[in-house]
Amino acid sequence: MMTNPAGRITQGQFSFLPDLTDAEITLQIEYGLNRGYAWSVEYTDDPHPRNTYWELFGMPMFDLKDAAGVLMELQNCRKTFPNHYIRLIAFDSTRGVESIGMSFIVNRPKVEPGFQLERQESVSRTLRYTTRGYAANAPEGERYGN
Amino acid sequence: MNQTVEPGILKDATDITAMDAKKRYSAGVLKYRQMGYWQPDYQPKETDLICLFRITPQDGVDPVEAAAAVAGESSTATWTVVWTDRLTACDSYRAKAYKVEAVPGSPGQVFAWIAYDLILFEEGSIANLTASVIGNVFGFKPLKALRLEDMRIPVAYVKTFKGPPTGLVVERERLDKFGRPLLGATTKPKLGLSGRNYGRVIYEGLKGGLDFMKDDENINSQPFMHWRDRYLYVMDAVNKAAAATGEVKGSYLNVTAATMEDMYERAEFAKQLGSVIIMIDLVIGYTAIQSISNWARRNDMILHLHRAGHGTYTRQKTHGVSFRVIAKWMRLAGVDHIHAGTIVGKLEGDPLTTQGYYNICRDAHTRQDLPRGVYFDQDWADLKKVLPVASGGIHAGQMHQLIDYLGDDVVLQFGGGTIGHPAGIQAGAVANRVALEAMVKARNEGRDIVKEGPEILARAAQFCTPLKQALDTWKDVTFNYASTDTSDYAVTPAVA
C-alpha cells in the first residue's frame, strides 16, 4: 500500500484526480487530436519511475483522427491487460518539440504495492540509492496477480 | 575646433558625408554624428546585431546626437578624434544609429536603433557581447539615463552559442512529465534550517506531489548548514519521495559559491549523489554561468538559474537593461530554467511584458510583438528552449490565472503557498497538485478557465480537503500594485 497522499503511483497528468471516465478520456483525446497529436496506447507491469519504454499496444495511431477509435484501442488493451498499468501518450511532431505532448494513466492494477528504496552506504556519508518495485521480482505478466 | 565644449558637441554642423578624410581625422572633437555613428540611410544586414536603446538625453542634447553618441561609445569611439582609426577598416567597427523615434507618452525620451557589425563580437561569449554594448556607455555624461530595451541577435551569432544544456523538451523526457506545468516550492525559511530539518521540508513537499523543491538564492554554505550536509539530506529526501510516489523527483541544489573551483566541487558532489538538477544565481556572472553550463552539458545535469540581483538593473524603465534582454543572453549562455515572473504574485510583473519574457525563453522564432515589449523578430535557429519559472507569492487559488497567462511550459513554484498550508507541507503540495491537474483537465475539456476557474477549484476542493483549506486560507491574497516596467509602443512619427 503506497502511503503518498494519492495512495498510488502518481505518474502522468491526472493521477491526483478521481479516475477519468471514458467520456472524460474522450475529451482529452479530442484535445490532443485538435492539436495535431498522434495517440498511442502503452502498458506495463513494471512502472518503475525510470522505466521509459512501456510496451506498445499496437503502433501509434498517426492516421486516426477519431477519438472513438482511440478509445476503442484503449478498451481492447484493458480487456487484454486488465491488471496492468495502461497509459495514453500523445506524440507532438512539431519541429523543435518532437516529443510527448500528453501522457496519463488510464488503467491500474487493483493493488499498487509501490517501491522499496534500498540504500547502500558508501564513503564520506554518501549513499547509493536503488528503487525497486515490490512487485518486480515476479516474472513479467505475473506481477499483479494476472 | 573648440576644445572646451563637452565631448560630442561642436558648433560646426557639417555632416560627415561632406567631409574629406583629412578633415575628418584632424585632431579635435567632432560631433558623434559627424564621425559616422549616425547613418539614417543605413539598411541593417542580416548578420548585424541590432540594439534598441531608450535614451533620455541631458537637457539641450539633440536626440540624434545622443543616439550617435551611444553608438559611438558602445563601439569604437572615444571622446576625441584619433588618427589611429585610419590604420583600421574603421567603417566596419563603428556601430551605426539609423533610426530615432520619440517614446510614446514619455517626453524627453527617444528610442534609438543601433546596428553592430558581427566582427565586433567574439563568438560564444556573453561577456564580450555585454562588455561591448553595455560596457562603458551607461555612465556617459551627456545622457540622463539609458536603457537597453531589446536586442536582435543575428542567426550567425546565435549559432556560436550552445544554449541550454538540456532544454525544456529533453527535461520533460528525463523527468517523464508532460502536458502540464511542473510544480515546485522553495524551501522556507530561507535561513537557519539545519541540514536535517531542511531535508524534512524537501521530503514532505515532494511526497505530497511536487516535482521539484528548491534552494533559495542565498542558501550556499553558511554556519547553520554546510553545503555537503544539505546535499546529503536533500538527496535522501528526493530518493525517498521518488520511491513513495513512483515519480522522478528533483531538488535544485544551489552550487553558487565564491570561486569556480568551489562551484565545480559542489556540482560534482551533486552529480555523485544522483541529483538531476543543480542551481546557480545570476550574481555569479556571465562567464561563470557559461562555464557551469558547459559542466552541466557534460554531466547530463539540468541547470536552474535564479535571477538574483536582476531587479537592480531591470526594473526601472528609464535606465538599465530590460529583463527581456537578460532572458535572451541567458538562453544563449545556456541555462535550462530561469525565473521570469508570475504576473499575479508578489514581485514586479506587467502581464503582457512578462509574457514577452516567457515567449523569448520558449519560442522557436520570436515575432515582433510591441504590446509584449518584443521589438524584434528573433530567429533562435533551433537553439534549445529555456523553461521559465514562476515564483513568488502565488497560491493554489490563482491556478486558473497562472495557466491562462503562462501556459504549460513553466515551473509554478509555490513556496509559502505549500509550506504555509495550515495542515502541513504535504497537504500544501496536494492542494497545489490537485488544483493544477483539475485546471489542466478542465482547460483541455474546452472549459473557459478564466471565467470558471474559481468554480473548477471549488468543485475539486469537494474531494480534496487540503485544497479546500488552501482556498480558504489564501482566498483574499492578491498583490495588485502598478507595474513599473510596461511596454511603450504606440506608433508615432519619427523625430528624425
Side-chain angles (χ1 to χ4, degrees):
Chain A
M1 178 61 197
M2 298 183 78
T3 63
N4 74 61
R8 56 188 188 172
I9 286 173
T10 56
Q11 296 171 16
Q13 286 169 282
F14 305 124
S15 283
F16 275 71
L17 303 181
D19 287 340
L20 273 58
T21 64
D22 283 359
E24 289 174 316
I25 290 170
T26 301
L27 290 172
Q28 297 298 322
I29 295 170
E30 281 171 356
Y31 176 79
L33 290 174
N34 288 336
R35 294 172 72 87
Y37 299 166
W39 284 100
S40 183
V41 179
E42 301 185 354
Y43 65 97
T44 192
D45 60 0
D46 176 18
H48 187 284
R50 287 194 164 84
N51 176 21
T52 305
Y53 303 112
W54 293 21
E55 305 304 322
L56 295 172
F57 190 76
M59 297 272 284
M61 294 167 266
F62 294 106
D63 302 312
L64 189 50
K65 305 297 177 203
D66 174 22
V70 176
L71 191 69
M72 195 182 298
E73 277 302 291
L74 166 59
Q75 283 159 344
N76 288 340
C77 186
R78 279 174 173 158
K79 257 180 235 152
T80 315
F81 300 105
N83 228 6
H84 277 56
Y85 289 92
I86 302 175
R87 69 185 176 194
L88 280 173
I89 277 199
F91 293 100
D92 179 355
S93 62
T94 308
R95 174 167 167 164
V97 181
E98 294 150 315
S99 182
I100 291 153
M102 298 172 71
S103 171
F104 55 98
I105 294 175
V106 286
N107 199 70
R108 295 166 185 271
K110 286 177 200 73
V111 178
E112 297 187 61
F115 304 91
Q116 179 186 1
L117 183 66
E118 286 177 9
R119 293 180 180 82
Q120 184 190 15
E121 292 87 351
S122 184
V123 294
S124 299
R125 298 175 58 226
T126 57
L127 296 166
R128 300 232 155 241
Y129 298 95
T130 303
T131 306
R132 191 186 308 281
Y134 288 110
N137 285 338
E140 283 183 84
E142 298 170 21
R143 288 170 182 159
Y144 294 93
N146 285 15
Chain B
M1 295 278 172
N2 180 349
Q3 298 293 321
T4 61
V5 294
E6 68 182 288
I9 304 299
L10 182 75
K11 283 175 194 159
D12 177 6
T14 318
D15 197 88
I16 185 175
T17 50
M19 240 189 278
D20 64 24
K22 190 172 178 204
K23 194 172 169 198
R24 161 67 178 81
Y25 294 102
S26 62
V29 177
L30 281 173
K31 283 190 171 185
Y32 286 92
R33 62 189 297 174
Q34 292 172 317
M35 294 194 279
Y37 299 107
W38 168 245
Q39 297 192 18
D41 299 329
Y42 184 71
Q43 294 288 329
K45 293 178 290 187
E46 274 303 302
T47 53
D48 281 349
L49 186 136
I50 305 171
C51 289
L52 174 66
F53 286 98
R54 178 195 295 254
I55 303 175
T56 312
Q58 296 279 14
D59 296 340
V61 174
D62 172 55
V64 167
E65 176 60 11
V70 170
E73 291 296 325
S74 61
S75 59
T76 53
T78 187
W79 61 277
T80 187
V81 172
V82 291
W83 65 267
T84 41
D85 266 348
R86 300 189 75 179
L87 301 173
T88 71
C90 52
D91 286 344
S92 316
Y93 300 111
R94 273 186 209 113
K96 294 140 187 106
Y98 63 93
K99 188 162 73 163
V100 172
E101 283 182 3
V103 176
S106 304
Q109 299 175 19
V110 292
F111 283 140
W113 283 257
I114 299 176
Y116 300 78
D117 193 283
L118 192 55
I119 198 173
L120 296 181
F121 307 111
E122 178 176 344
E123 57 276 15
S125 172
I126 298 293
N128 176 252
L129 170 65
T130 53
S132 291
V133 299
I134 62 169
N136 267 345
V137 65
F138 279 68
F140 190 50
K141 273 185 179 170
L143 312 178
K144 272 187 200 153
L146 179 64
R147 188 186 205 214
L148 179 54
E149 287 280 348
D150 203 357
M151 177 181 277
R152 195 285 303 263
I153 303 140
V155 166
Y157 197 48
V158 171
K159 289 299 278 185
T160 66
F161 289 89
K162 290 182 198 140
T166 312
L168 77 83
V169 173
V170 174
E171 172 171 349
R172 284 187 176 282
E173 292 194 339
R174 282 196 201 155
L175 300 173
D176 187 39
K177 297 173 196 294
F178 307 99
R180 64 166 173 86
L182 303 184
L183 270 185
T186 307
T187 306
K188 306 281 176 181
K190 285 177 157 185
L191 301 169
L193 292 171
S194 70
R196 190 182 195 281
N197 289 340
Y198 197 90
R200 165 61 70 186
V201 182
I202 306 291
Y203 175 61
E204 299 293 322
L206 295 179
K207 185 178 180 186
L210 303 185
D211 304 302
F212 284 128
M213 292 293 291
K214 171 181 178 294
D215 289 348
D216 224 328
E217 76 283 357
N218 52 352
I219 278 288
N220 298 152
S221 190
Q222 285 104 320
F224 51 83
M225 180 169 59
H226 189 272
W227 64 272
R228 280 183 64 99
D229 243 9
R230 180 169 85 258
Y231 289 16
L232 284 162
Y233 283 113
V234 164
M235 287 316 297
D236 203 59
V238 166
N239 283 292
K240 203 167 144 60
T245 59
E247 273 189 280
V248 180
K249 302 282 185 182
S251 191
Y252 319 158
L253 295 171
N254 192 350
V255 301
T256 298
T259 67
M260 261 340 273
E261 292 73 23
D262 291 335
M263 292 199 3
Y264 286 134
E265 183 189 2
R266 295 178 193 189
E268 284 294 338
F269 193 51
K271 170 182 127 185
Q272 194 189 331
L273 294 174
S275 183
V276 296
I277 187 163
I278 59 167
M279 163 182 165
I280 50 171
D281 290 333
L282 182 59
V283 291
I284 67 173
Y286 301 139
T287 299
I289 290 171
Q290 288 197 255
S291 289
I292 203 71
S293 177
N294 277 335
W295 182 92
R297 203 174 289 108
R298 276 200 305 277
N299 292 285
D300 304 314
M301 194 68 84
I302 301 167
L303 182 60
H304 177 97
L305 175 74
H306 187 115
R307 56 175 174 170
H310 83 97
T312 54
Y313 47 88
T314 60
R315 191 175 183 196
Q316 297 304 323
K317 217 157 128 174
T318 54
H319 193 82
V321 181
S322 164
F323 188 72
R324 75 182 61 87
V325 178
I326 303 294
K328 286 183 176 179
W329 293 346
M330 290 303 100
R331 184 166 173 183
L332 296 174
V335 301
D336 292 312
H337 289 183
I338 189 168
H339 289 242
T342 63
I343 299 178
V344 298
K346 70 178 177 183
L347 303 177
E348 170 73 27
D350 167 64
L352 291 174
T353 305
T354 303
Q355 284 177 336
Y357 308 153
Y358 274 66
N359 293 343
I360 281 163
C361 291
R362 304 184 297 198
D363 282 343
H365 192 138
T366 306
R367 300 290 171 186
Q368 186 190 58
D369 185 352
L370 299 181
R372 288 182 175 75
V374 178
Y375 293 87
F376 299 112
D377 279 5
Q378 176 65 54
D379 184 347
W380 287 103
D382 301 302
L383 200 70
K384 290 190 183 87
K385 296 161 188 169
V386 179
L387 188 60
V389 176
S391 180
I394 55 177
H395 57 83
Q398 299 161 324
M399 194 59 80
H400 51 297
Q401 296 167 303
L402 289 165
I403 291 178
D404 176 59
Y405 280 131
L406 307 178
D408 279 349
D409 285 327
V410 56
V411 187
L412 300 175
Q413 293 201 163
F414 304 86
T418 299
I419 298 159
H421 192 284
I425 301 168
Q426 275 196 39
V430 171
N432 288 321
R433 181 76 176 261
V434 169
L436 176 81
E437 294 192 358
M439 204 57 66
V440 168
K441 174 171 173 284
R443 180 203 56 195
N444 295 0
E445 288 171 347
R447 311 262 308 264
D448 178 352
I449 59 170
V450 177
K451 271 203 201 121
E452 301 174 48
E455 184 197 323
I456 292 161
L457 290 173
R459 190 164 291 259
Q462 286 173 1
F463 70 83
C464 179
T465 306
L467 178 56
K468 182 167 188 325
Q469 292 165 322
L471 296 175
D472 289 344
T473 304
W474 292 304
K475 61 176 179 288
D476 296 324
V477 177
T478 55
F479 297 90
N480 290 327
Y481 298 98
S483 293
T484 57
D485 185 13
T486 52
S487 158
D488 296 322
Y489 63 92
V491 179
T492 55
V495 296

PDB file of all heavy atoms in Angstrom, chain B residues 8 18 132 166 180 207 232 291 323:
ATOM      1  N   GLY B   8      31.501  65.617 -28.046  1.00  0.00           N
ATOM      2  CA  GLY B   8      30.404  65.391 -28.974  1.00  0.00           C
ATOM      3  C   GLY B   8      29.651  66.645 -29.346  1.00  0.00           C
ATOM      4  O   GLY B   8      28.784  66.614 -30.214  1.00  0.00           O
ATOM      5  N   ALA B  18      29.956  65.170 -46.063  1.00  0.00           N
ATOM      6  CA  ALA B  18      30.503  66.300 -46.789  1.00  0.00           C
ATOM      7  C   ALA B  18      31.964  66.571 -46.419  1.00  0.00           C
ATOM      8  O   ALA B  18      32.566  67.525 -46.873  1.00  0.00           O
ATOM      9  CB  ALA B  18      29.661  67.553 -46.513  1.00  0.00           C
ATOM     10  N   SER B 132      30.867  45.051 -24.762  1.00  0.00           N
ATOM     11  CA  SER B 132      30.708  45.993 -25.868  1.00  0.00           C
ATOM     12  C   SER B 132      29.481  46.868 -25.680  1.00  0.00           C
ATOM     13  O   SER B 132      29.598  48.084 -25.582  1.00  0.00           O
ATOM     14  CB  SER B 132      30.569  45.241 -27.196  1.00  0.00           C
ATOM     15  OG  SER B 132      31.783  44.624 -27.530  1.00  0.00           O
ATOM     16  N   THR B 166      20.204  21.275 -21.413  1.00  0.00           N
ATOM     17  CA  THR B 166      19.185  20.226 -21.523  1.00  0.00           C
ATOM     18  C   THR B 166      18.038  20.684 -22.424  1.00  0.00           C
ATOM     19  O   THR B 166      17.689  19.994 -23.375  1.00  0.00           O
ATOM     20  CB  THR B 166      18.625  19.877 -20.123  1.00  0.00           C
ATOM     21  OG1 THR B 166      19.710  19.694 -19.221  1.00  0.00           O
ATOM     22  CG2 THR B 166      17.773  18.624 -20.184  1.00  0.00           C
ATOM     23  N   ARG B 180       1.571  19.327 -18.722  1.00  0.00           N
ATOM     24  CA  ARG B 180       1.124  20.162 -17.604  1.00  0.00           C
ATOM     25  C   ARG B 180       2.325  20.958 -17.110  1.00  0.00           C
ATOM     26  O   ARG B 180       3.471  20.542 -17.311  1.00  0.00           O
ATOM     27  CB  ARG B 180       0.577  19.306 -16.454  1.00  0.00           C
ATOM     28  CG  ARG B 180       1.618  18.388 -15.809  1.00  0.00           C
ATOM     29  CD  ARG B 180       1.118  17.832 -14.481  1.00  0.00           C
ATOM     30  NE  ARG B 180       2.002  16.831 -13.893  1.00  0.00           N
ATOM     31  CZ  ARG B 180       3.038  17.103 -13.112  1.00  0.00           C
ATOM     32  NH1 ARG B 180       3.362  18.356 -12.841  1.00  0.00           N
ATOM     33  NH2 ARG B 180       3.768  16.126 -12.584  1.00  0.00           N
ATOM     34  N   LYS B 207       6.895  14.286  -1.582  1.00  0.00           N
ATOM     35  CA  LYS B 207       5.968  13.168  -1.393  1.00  0.00           C
ATOM     36  C   LYS B 207       4.525  13.649  -1.567  1.00  0.00           C
ATOM     37  O   LYS B 207       3.664  12.940  -2.078  1.00  0.00           O
ATOM     38  CB  LYS B 207       6.151  12.538  -0.003  1.00  0.00           C
ATOM     39  CG  LYS B 207       5.286  11.296   0.179  1.00  0.00           C
ATOM     40  CD  LYS B 207       5.493  10.643   1.542  1.00  0.00           C
ATOM     41  CE  LYS B 207       4.592   9.410   1.664  1.00  0.00           C
ATOM     42  NZ  LYS B 207       4.643   8.815   3.003  1.00  0.00           N
ATOM     43  N   LEU B 232      23.443  15.958   1.170  1.00  0.00           N
ATOM     44  CA  LEU B 232      23.218  14.582   1.619  1.00  0.00           C
ATOM     45  C   LEU B 232      21.784  14.380   2.099  1.00  0.00           C
ATOM     46  O   LEU B 232      21.113  13.419   1.704  1.00  0.00           O
ATOM     47  CB  LEU B 232      24.208  14.242   2.742  1.00  0.00           C
ATOM     48  CG  LEU B 232      25.641  13.972   2.260  1.00  0.00           C
ATOM     49  CD1 LEU B 232      26.625  14.092   3.415  1.00  0.00           C
ATOM     50  CD2 LEU B 232      25.735  12.589   1.617  1.00  0.00           C
ATOM     51  N   SER B 291      30.532  28.744 -17.933  1.00  0.00           N
ATOM     52  CA  SER B 291      31.392  27.637 -17.501  1.00  0.00           C
ATOM     53  C   SER B 291      30.568  26.513 -16.878  1.00  0.00           C
ATOM     54  O   SER B 291      30.746  25.346 -17.221  1.00  0.00           O
ATOM     55  CB  SER B 291      32.424  28.135 -16.476  1.00  0.00           C
ATOM     56  OG  SER B 291      33.372  28.949 -17.103  1.00  0.00           O
ATOM     57  N   PHE B 323      14.721  43.025 -18.717  1.00  0.00           N
ATOM     58  CA  PHE B 323      14.853  41.592 -18.463  1.00  0.00           C
ATOM     59  C   PHE B 323      14.699  40.768 -19.742  1.00  0.00           C
ATOM     60  O   PHE B 323      15.225  39.660 -19.836  1.00  0.00           O
ATOM     61  CB  PHE B 323      13.849  41.121 -17.406  1.00  0.00           C
ATOM     62  CG  PHE B 323      14.102  39.706 -17.012  1.00  0.00           C
ATOM     63  CD1 PHE B 323      15.200  39.379 -16.232  1.00  0.00           C
ATOM     64  CD2 PHE B 323      13.288  38.678 -17.469  1.00  0.00           C
ATOM     65  CE1 PHE B 323      15.470  38.065 -15.910  1.00  0.00           C
ATOM     66  CE2 PHE B 323      13.557  37.363 -17.147  1.00  0.00           C
ATOM     67  CZ  PHE B 323      14.645  37.056 -16.359  1.00  0.00           C
TER      68      PHE B 323
END
